[in-house]
Amino acid sequence: MITLTAEHLVATLRPLLTAEAAAAAPALGADPGDLEQAVWLRLLERLHLIGPPADPEGWLRNAVHAEVCRAEWAGLRERAYRGEPATADDVPEQVLVRVERDRLLRNAVRRLPGSCARLVAAFLSPRDLTYREIARELGLAQGSVGPERARCLESLRRLLAPEDFDVG
């Protein structure tokens, strides 16, 4: 039986890990180096607790996949800090109501006619775009963004039932 040293594993796996991380990281919006570092840590933990994997390349691909899943799951669980203290609205029931209202709103926005879906989505963007940025992104004249927005919001009001947004 051949005993693999940590140095040998690192030398052998580095090119594969670099390629795997470079391929997986963009989908996460993550830095490939961060993904590589997380996998190296997993390898060190494994070496310390269990020993080297029997199939290092297969283990590495699985470890990259596991880190991608872990990062995606963390992204779903984490809530962006907006500088607001926790309130009564942060109780699970209120969070669920907000999530459901947001889902209804997103579905209604997708059903808007013509270019309204893109325009309203731009206004709802977490990037907090200015009228100038929205006009440039959508190929509109800056002066037409306001009137177009009013027309689109009226269409959105007609799509949404008032009871969808009652919180009682």
Side-chain angles (χ1 to χ4, degrees), residues 21-159:
L28 292 172
D31 179 69
D34 292 342
L35 186 54
E36 285 183 55
Q37 183 177 14
V39 173
W40 287 130
L41 285 172
R42 298 292 163 251
L43 179 60
L44 287 173
E45 290 170 350
R46 176 174 173 109
L47 291 173
H48 176 70
L49 296 173
I50 302 171
D55 173 19
E57 290 83 5
W59 178 90
L60 183 128
R61 286 186 179 95
N62 288 336
V64 169
H65 178 72
E67 286 303 319
V68 167
C69 291
R70 185 175 293 123
E72 287 173 340
W73 180 244
L76 293 174
R77 288 181 303 161
E78 292 174 0
R79 206 170 128 219
Y81 176 69
R82 302 198 193 295
E84 302 153 359
T87 66
D89 289 340
D90 290 333
V91 296
E93 294 82 7
Q94 292 302 317
V95 170
L96 184 61
V97 168
R98 279 197 313 267
V99 166
E100 180 62 15
R101 284 188 349 199
D102 289 350
R103 186 188 64 76
L104 289 169
L105 179 61
R106 283 191 309 275
N107 288 340
V109 167
R110 282 193 289 272
R111 293 191 329 257
L112 285 170
S115 62
C116 283
R118 290 180 51 217
L119 181 68
V120 173
F123 275 104
L124 294 173
S125 168
R127 296 182 346 206
D128 196 24
L129 301 170
T130 65
Y131 273 47
R132 175 178 288 154
E133 292 167 328
I134 290 171
R136 185 175 53 240
E137 201 169 284
L138 299 180
L140 300 171
Q142 186 175 341
S144 68
V145 172
E148 185 73 11
R149 175 181 172 258
R151 186 180 66 75
C152 292
L153 289 177
E154 186 55 39
S155 295
L156 185 60
R157 280 186 200 95
R158 286 192 301 270
L159 282 174

